[in-house]
């Protein structure tokens, strides 16, 4: 059913209808559209614009429609243009002309963005909750390996040994920032647009503040032209999703590398691995690869919405209909990827012996020699030079740093004595890195504890919001 047509003498061409149509994807907005219609109905009724008995009939029909949508008994049909027209058809089929009463003071322009904000908030909460579960998995895994050493890398070259728990826990910092960003996003997303009308507000005695309150929004639009035009909340959500995807892709890359035969650090569980159709021996870390690969579309969706918005005149333009599919796709992608990555992390075991054996190799303790000299008041540049000479001597004679003789140390720098061997052990190197945020295991334990605490705070905020949201939806 078309929501317009009075001034037209001909029906739209098939191609026009085909290009305009969005109901095949925006049907997902139906529950939010019905809920915002109930809020609009309330305002129309309290301001006397709809008679009480008509309002009651519409309310009953909307609630009926709501359960029919939920059960699948009422669905969009081929002649429906979008979710709004499909639902108005449903109402009119039940009520006759009265079904069209809700359009007073409301345009699809303020309606669609209200629905989309509700949809985005609802799904943002679902994603945020999955992120807190991912963080639990990361931090729990990290705590299993706090006292295990491994080489830490820069440029994918052995750099300095680290606590492997520290190595894993770093990812929780990235996702904690994402959770923080999500929390902040709500301030700008939770703004009601209903009452802005087509673009200019309404001459009818509507009450946008009341509608906003009814729908649980934190605030209400300040400028009706901006209200129907603003899709910053979509772009910002897509940025958050793209960044989450980027963080997931870096985990994906690490896990893939660590599971390789060359590293053989990570044993990804069978449950989270896949096989090859031709090579019977293969066990591939496909979840890690998909986490890495899916980040492409998350980034692409952000770019496509920003590109659509760039240079767009304010108020409503049909281009804005292109805001939905990228948002839906990013949400659907993360709803698939997050549980898989969480499960993969939770069930991966690491080879402690192999990592510990690798920790001191590649001369990763060379900095200890330089720091040893600095503690004897040798300027760092000189100390660095001397430590470099130790590495060079080891390389040319096929030895490790602790295998150099006292005489060789003394020859490289007079302040370098056999005492340096005490710092040329991995555990000593780890334990000594006690500056805040450092890799000393006692600090890593503290770090994990604090991040878990932060994560619980996020989880609580999300649960509170989710409870309020579902109460609003079922009101
Ligand atoms: N389906 C449209 C969208 O998603 C609804 C708004 C249509 N408004 C209009 N003036 N044609 O943006």
């Amino acid at each position: 059913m078309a929501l317009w047509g009075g001034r037209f003498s001909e029906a739209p061409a098939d191609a026009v209808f085909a290009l305009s149509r969005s109901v095949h994807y925006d049907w997902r907005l139906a529950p939010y559209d019905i809920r915002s219609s109930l809020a609009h109905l309330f305002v129309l009724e309290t301001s006397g614009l709809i008679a009480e008995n008509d309002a009651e009939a519409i309310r009953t029909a909307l609630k009926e429609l709501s359960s029919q949508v939920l059960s699948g008994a009422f669905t969009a049909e081929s002649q429906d243009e979008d979710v709004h027209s499909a639902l108005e058809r449903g109402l009119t089929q039940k009520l006759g002309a009265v079904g069209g009463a809700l359009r007073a003071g409301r345009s699809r322009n303020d309606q669609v963005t209200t629905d989309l904000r509700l949809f985005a908030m609802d799904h943002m909460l679902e994603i945020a909750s999955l992120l807190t579960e991912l963080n639990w998995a990361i931090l729990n895994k990290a705590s299993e390996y706090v006292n295990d050493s491994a080489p830490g890398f820069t440029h994918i070259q052995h750099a300095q040994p680290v606590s492997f728990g520290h190595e894993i826990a770093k990812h929780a910092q990235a996702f904690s920032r994402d959770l923080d960003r999500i929390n902040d996003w709500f301030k700008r997303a939770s703004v009601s647009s209903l009452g802005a009308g087509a673009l200019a507000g309404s001459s009818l005695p509507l009450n946008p503040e009341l509608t906003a309150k009814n729908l649980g929004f934190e605030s209400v639009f300040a400028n009706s032209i901006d209200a129907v035009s603003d899709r910053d909340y979509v772009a910002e959500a897509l940025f958050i999703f793209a960044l989450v995807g980027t963080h997931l892709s870096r985990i994906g890359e690490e896990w893939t590398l660590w599971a390789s035969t060359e590293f053989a650090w990570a044993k990804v569980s069978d449950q989270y691995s896949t096989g090859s159709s031709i090579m019977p021996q293969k066990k591939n870390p496909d979840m890690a690869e998909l986490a890495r690969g899916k980040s492409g579309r998350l980034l692409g969706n952000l770019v496509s919405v920003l590109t659509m918005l760039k240079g767009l005149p304010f108020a409503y333009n049909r281009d804005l209909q292109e805001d939905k599919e990228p948002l839906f796709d990013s949400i659907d992608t993360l709803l698939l990827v997050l549980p898989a990555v969480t499960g993969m992390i939770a069930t991966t075991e690491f080879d402690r012996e192999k990592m510990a054996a690798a920790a001191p190799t590649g001369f990763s303790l060379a900095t200890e020699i330089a720091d040893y000299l600095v503690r004897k008041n040798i300027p760092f540049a000189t100390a660095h030079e001397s430590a470099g000479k130790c590495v060079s001597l080891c390389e040319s004679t096929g030895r490790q740093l602790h295998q150099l003789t006292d005489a060789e140390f003394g020859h490289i720098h007079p302040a370098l004595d056999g005492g340096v061997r005490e710092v040329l052990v991995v555990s000593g190197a780890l334990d000594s890195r006690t500056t805040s945020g450092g890799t000393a295991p006692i600090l890593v334990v503290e770090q994990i504890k604090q991040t878990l605490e932060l994560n619980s705070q996020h989880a609580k905020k999300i649960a509170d919001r989710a409870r309020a949201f579902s109460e609003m939806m079922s009101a």
Side-chain angles (χ1 to χ4, degrees):
M1 188 188 84
L3 298 181
W4 44 273
R7 62 101 69 214
F8 291 84
S9 51
E10 285 178 294
D14 288 350
V16 170
F17 184 68
L19 179 59
S20 311
R21 196 166 178 264
S22 56
V23 77
H24 49 292
Y25 56 83
D26 69 16
W27 182 243
R28 316 173 57 156
L29 298 178
Y32 310 95
D33 194 81
I34 293 175
R35 183 60 187 85
S36 67
S37 287
L38 282 166
H40 186 57
L41 174 67
F42 181 66
V43 163
L44 291 179
E45 187 187 10
T46 48
S47 53
L49 295 166
I50 292 187
E52 224 171 275
N53 53 335
D54 282 347
E56 201 40 52
I58 297 174
R59 188 170 299 110
T60 308
L62 277 172
K63 295 214 159 159
E64 217 175 82
L65 206 51
S66 172
S67 28
Q68 286 176 314
V69 165
L70 205 67
S71 71
F74 182 84
T75 51
E77 285 177 8
S78 55
Q79 78 275 17
D80 295 321
E81 182 185 325
D82 56 19
V83 59
H84 322 292
S85 15
L87 290 172
E88 189 171 314
R89 172 177 59 77
L91 266 191
T92 334
Q93 278 167 356
K94 288 182 193 296
L95 302 169
V98 173
L102 279 179
R103 244 193 274 156
R106 183 176 71 171
S107 151
R108 278 184 295 168
N109 300 352
D110 59 345
Q111 186 178 0
V112 71
T113 187
T114 304
D115 297 354
L116 194 61
R117 281 176 188 273
L118 293 174
F119 174 92
M121 290 193 288
D122 197 8
H123 289 79
M124 187 61 94
L125 288 170
E126 209 180 328
I127 285 170
S129 161
L130 290 174
L131 278 172
T132 61
E133 282 167 34
L134 173 59
N135 257 354
W136 290 119
I138 291 169
L139 292 163
N140 285 326
K141 192 49 67 178
S143 61
E144 286 178 41
Y145 293 93
V146 170
N147 293 307
D148 292 292
S149 59
F153 299 88
T154 60
H155 312 265
I156 324 188
Q157 304 286 329
H158 285 204
Q160 292 173 345
V162 292
S163 144
F164 195 63
H166 192 51
E167 185 78 82
I168 296 181
K170 70 193 181 207
H171 292 300
Q173 299 303 320
F175 293 118
S176 297
R177 288 191 292 273
D178 292 331
L179 283 163
D180 215 37
R181 256 183 287 277
I182 288 174
N183 192 40
D184 192 60
W185 172 84
F186 271 92
K187 268 190 287 198
R188 291 173 297 278
S190 187
V191 181
S192 178
S193 335
L194 213 54
L199 81 162
S202 181
S203 62
L204 299 173
L206 303 179
N207 188 339
E209 285 78 14
L210 190 63
T211 320
K213 201 157 164 256
N214 186 312
L215 291 172
F217 282 108
E218 285 172 29
S219 60
V220 66
F221 65 93
N223 179 312
S224 58
I225 305 172
D226 174 58
V228 293
S229 171
D230 173 23
R231 294 295 184 278
D232 290 1
Y233 65 97
V234 176
E236 273 191 67
L238 288 172
F239 171 73
I240 293 171
F241 299 152
L243 197 56
V244 167
T246 303
H247 294 149
L248 289 167
S249 80
R250 295 175 81 172
I251 292 184
E253 169 61 9
E254 242 167 36
W255 245 251
T256 310
L257 201 63
W258 290 344
S260 68
T261 309
E262 281 63 32
F263 262 85
W265 287 9
K267 287 185 285 270
V268 180
S269 74
D270 279 4
Q271 230 191 330
Y272 286 90
S273 304
T274 51
S276 154
S277 54
I278 178 167
M279 296 166 285
Q281 86 286 6
K282 290 280 274 180
K283 184 174 139 183
N284 296 324
D286 284 23
M287 296 308 101
E289 294 163 58
L290 284 167
R292 194 176 53 190
K294 293 276 189 192
S295 62
R297 63 199 297 158
L298 295 171
L299 181 57
N301 289 333
L302 168 65
V303 173
S304 86
V305 164
L306 284 177
T307 311
M308 179 272 284
L309 291 173
K310 182 192 164 299
L312 195 70
F314 265 64
Y316 183 83
N317 299 272
R318 194 61 178 266
D319 315 44
L320 288 171
Q321 183 164 298
E322 291 296 303
D323 57 2
K324 290 170 206 64
E325 283 169 294
L327 183 70
F328 295 167
D329 182 71
S330 285
I331 288 168
D332 293 343
T333 300
L334 283 179
L335 292 179
L336 279 176
V337 176
L338 286 169
V341 172
T342 301
M344 176 188 79
I345 292 175
T347 57
T348 300
E349 296 300 333
F350 292 92
D351 188 333
R352 300 170 199 266
E353 282 74 41
K354 196 147 194 187
M355 295 189 301
T361 63
F363 307 108
S364 65
L365 292 166
T367 315
E368 307 311 310
I369 300 182
D371 286 353
Y372 182 77
L373 286 171
V374 167
R375 280 194 287 271
K376 295 191 165 210
N377 292 334
I378 309 299
F380 187 76
T382 312
H384 182 282
E385 180 73 16
S386 301
K389 287 206 172 108
C390 295
V391 170
S392 162
L393 182 58
C394 285
E395 249 179 350
S396 61
T397 57
R399 283 178 294 168
Q400 294 295 317
L401 290 168
H402 66 273
Q403 294 171 326
L404 293 180
T405 65
D406 288 7
E408 284 168 326
F409 278 134
H411 184 70
I412 286 172
H413 195 288
L416 206 52
D417 49 43
V420 74
R421 277 189 208 91
E422 280 168 35
V423 298
L424 291 178
V425 283
V426 170
S427 59
L430 295 193
D431 289 341
S432 68
R433 285 186 161 58
T434 52
T435 44
S436 47
T439 201
I442 45 166
L443 289 190
V444 177
V445 169
E446 196 49 35
Q447 177 203 137
I448 291 173
K449 208 176 119 205
Q450 283 174 9
T451 316
L452 277 170
E453 173 57 33
L454 182 69
N455 202 52
S456 321
Q457 288 167 15
H458 280 301
K460 184 174 178 322
K461 254 186 236 169
I462 294 159
D464 288 347
R465 268 193 214 280
R467 200 172 314 110
F469 194 90
S470 77
E471 276 167 19
M472 177 282 291
M473 283 299 284
S474 53

